[in-house]
Amino acid sequence: MKTLFLTLLFLFSIPIFGQQHFAGMNTSQRTGMVHAGVNPAELANLGSKYEIQVFSVSANATNNKIGFSDLFGNDSFEDLVFRGTEAVDLRFDGEIYGPGFAYKMDNWTFALTSKAYAKLDLVDVDVRIGDAVSTATLNAIINGSTTINNNYNQRLNGTTWGEIGLSAARNFYDDGTHKFSGGLTFKLLFPGSYANLGADRFSGTINNNLGNVTLTDASANLNIAYSGNLGEEFTQFSDYTGSLFGSLGGVAADLGVNYRLSDVEQPNKYRINAGLSVRNIGSMKYKSANNSSTNYVLSIQGAESLNLNQFQNVESLEETENILLQSGYLDRATNTKTDFKVKLPTVFSAYADVKIVPKFYASVYWQQKLNPDDANDQITYQNVIAITPRFALDNFEVWSSWSNNEISGISGGIGVRAYGFYLGSGSIITNLTSDNKQADAFIGYSFGLD
């Protein structure tokens, strides 16, 4: 497991990585595929007959332990992430828009899009367990023990998948002042790889005797699941990028509505642009020759003990599973599944971009997940509220996005758009001025043709 945390350190130390992708750009004056990713009804607001998406990339990292300035200190990553008593929440995720195309015809707009996702999450991981498994130091106590009794599910989860989206949006009403639109995106899902280790209601005592770390008097309900590349190894960057698209394995849908109040002084502009959407309604099934998903019961009683030192260099869940099975302390609660479903992170979004004075706008964006993150078959998401003031001309915009993330707290950044090219970060300001616990960046290009 130690290799995993060293990999996380490498990823987190790159300041391009929370989870509001394309912060500020998703409410930009120029409507594109990024907007349709938030609300498919926005396709009805395209400013040209044809829209070509060339590429867009957004990467995020957020956590509740490590501030940006901590990365430049002398403490090791393990010491930073497992300090204190609060459980660790650490999320890495990337979102890539591939080539896309949209066509506007009268009151209808149709689009074809391609996207890929990669995620690696630590969800509510007990710091004492993480410290004992990754460093075998038990919070630097040479000799001692600590008793743990958790009533929640802690998870280590990695996921990759791709999707092809077929979108349609229609302008239902437009009197020159008020405009109402609706949209739908039907998505074909291509699961790539998956790994999940869940430990629900873990209890036990961790003992450290001169570096010999053992677990006694323990019980937990475990889920160990893996598919594709992540079944063999889940600690390397290439494990995720090498398996973004798999075979067709599910469908999903996005739904949205949009309202625009035109600017009487500039008919091609708006005074208000607002929308509501529900995204990622669906699930996907992972299929692979090395597929496995099993629920276990861990039970260590009496004088029995499990040596935790043997997990320090483990790089795959299959190896972890084999060590636990060979210990004799693991019993199958359910039969192993060779194919298993994983739920997408269904999310509700609401936003409004409002003209304050000529050339100056301000938007409010709210993102709320509809499913909790603790279920073993659930891909995670984060709740976000963001405010973005912007200066906007026809072919140029600059904005500063400020968000409150449920894991990392408040972050602030800056972004810019020139014609169809855009780049920015939702956290670079607070990274440079305060002890922020989030890092992200995005870049992309699209253009329109008449």
Side-chain angles (χ1 to χ4, degrees):
M1 288 292 183
K2 188 173 183 178
T3 305
L4 168 65
F5 296 109
L6 293 175
T7 303
L8 293 179
L9 173 60
F10 168 74
L11 291 174
F12 196 82
S13 64
I14 301 175
I16 60 168
F17 282 97
Q19 189 178 358
Q20 182 197 357
H21 286 287
F22 304 101
M25 181 58 200
N26 53 15
T27 53
S28 165
Q29 298 283 299
R30 185 189 184 280
T31 303
M33 300 302 188
V34 169
H35 296 69
V38 174
N39 183 354
E42 286 283 358
L43 288 169
N45 297 323
L46 290 179
S48 55
K49 187 174 183 179
Y50 303 99
E51 176 73 12
I52 311 297
Q53 172 72 44
V54 180
F55 77 97
S56 292
V57 179
S58 176
N60 299 276
T62 184
N63 79 105
N64 64 338
K65 291 285 184 175
I66 304 175
F68 190 75
S69 62
D70 293 330
L71 299 177
F72 305 98
N74 296 322
D75 293 332
S76 68
F77 179 74
E78 292 91 338
D79 290 339
L80 292 171
V81 77
F82 295 125
R83 64 187 175 187
T85 59
E86 184 182 6
V88 177
D89 269 305
L90 191 151
R91 316 288 175 92
F92 297 89
D93 62 278
E95 185 173 313
I96 303 171
Y97 280 75
F101 173 78
Y103 170 61
K104 193 171 184 179
M105 180 180 61
D106 297 326
N107 289 324
W108 285 93
T109 305
F110 302 95
L112 174 66
T113 56
S114 59
K115 294 174 71 175
Y117 300 85
K119 291 175 60 63
L120 175 59
D121 303 322
L122 274 70
V123 183
D124 292 331
V125 174
D126 190 291
V127 293
R128 294 163 294 183
I129 299 174
D131 181 63
V133 171
S134 65
T135 67
T137 62
L138 197 59
N139 290 314
I141 299 176
I142 297 178
N143 291 284
S145 64
T146 183
T147 299
I148 301 171
N149 189 8
N150 296 328
N151 61 357
Y152 56 85
N153 188 29
Q154 48 192 308
R155 301 175 63 198
L156 169 65
N157 182 266
T159 317
T160 67
W161 79 96
E163 63 182 41
I164 300 296
L166 305 172
S167 303
R170 178 175 171 79
N171 176 15
F172 290 105
Y173 178 83
D174 188 353
D175 64 2
T177 301
H178 303 280
K179 178 181 177 182
F180 293 90
S181 306
L184 166 68
T185 297
F186 177 77
K187 299 189 286 191
L188 302 174
L189 305 178
F190 299 86
S193 55
Y194 184 79
N196 185 78
L197 173 60
D200 188 26
R201 299 185 180 278
F202 180 94
S203 65
T205 300
I206 301 176
N207 308 282
N208 189 347
N209 182 14
L210 297 177
N212 181 29
V213 182
T214 59
L215 176 65
T216 59
D217 298 322
S219 64
N221 298 316
L222 302 184
N223 172 261
I224 301 177
Y226 44 84
S227 176
N229 286 5
L230 298 185
E232 301 171 358
E233 188 173 0
F234 59 91
T235 64
Q236 302 298 322
F237 183 69
S238 59
D239 300 332
Y240 296 83
T241 58
S243 58
L244 294 177
F245 266 82
S247 302
L248 179 64
V251 296
D254 299 346
L255 306 169
V257 293
N258 175 259
Y259 166 73
R260 279 198 169 191
L261 175 63
S262 297
D263 189 339
V264 294
E265 298 174 355
Q266 296 176 289
N268 62 332
K269 299 284 187 177
Y270 58 78
R271 293 171 59 191
I272 299 175
N273 182 61
L276 303 172
S277 67
V278 179
R279 311 194 311 272
N280 296 327
I281 307 170
S283 62
M284 53 190 171
K285 179 179 286 188
Y286 280 85
K287 302 177 181 179
S288 176
N290 70 338
N291 256 30
S292 177
S293 178
T294 310
N295 292 321
Y296 294 100
V297 175
L298 174 70
S299 180
I300 304 174
Q301 300 177 355
E304 300 172 336
S305 65
L306 175 65
N307 180 11
L308 297 182
N309 296 69
Q310 59 189 320
F311 294 100
Q312 288 187 62
N313 296 315
V314 168
E315 296 183 348
S316 74
L317 287 188
E318 185 175 11
E319 187 178 354
T320 301
E321 184 178 36
N322 288 334
I323 291 174
L324 290 172
L325 286 172
Q326 291 171 9
S327 72
Y329 302 135
L330 211 58
D331 293 321
R332 283 183 171 85
T334 60
N335 293 329
T336 300
K337 298 179 181 178
T338 55
D339 297 336
F340 54 87
K341 283 188 176 182
V342 175
K343 298 176 184 177
L344 290 188
T346 306
V347 60
F348 170 80
S349 295
Y351 60 89
D353 192 35
V354 180
K355 177 181 177 181
I356 307 301
V357 295
K359 299 182 178 59
F360 286 91
Y361 294 74
S363 64
V364 178
Y365 177 86
W366 174 38
Q367 176 177 286
Q368 176 68 46
K369 62 187 175 187
L370 300 183
N371 297 316
D373 293 337
D374 58 350
N376 287 310
D377 61 350
Q378 178 66 57
I379 298 175
T380 68
Y381 222 67
Q382 298 172 44
N383 299 327
V384 177
I385 296 177
I387 298 175
T388 305
R390 75 179 68 245
F391 171 75
L393 303 176
D394 287 343
N395 296 313
F396 176 81
E397 289 179 71
V398 61
W399 63 83
S400 180
S401 181
W402 293 82
S403 65
N404 187 9
N405 182 291
E406 68 170 313
I407 293 177
S408 59
I410 295 175
S411 297
I414 193 169
V416 63
R417 175 186 68 85
Y419 292 88
F421 175 78
Y422 49 89
L423 61 86
S425 167
S427 60
I428 190 170
I429 293 177
T430 45
N431 282 338
L432 297 175
T433 61
S434 65
D435 197 24
N436 190 38
K437 295 181 175 64
Q438 172 180 317
D440 71 283
F442 59 86
I443 187 172
Y445 178 67
S446 61
F447 63 93
L449 297 172
D450 287 318

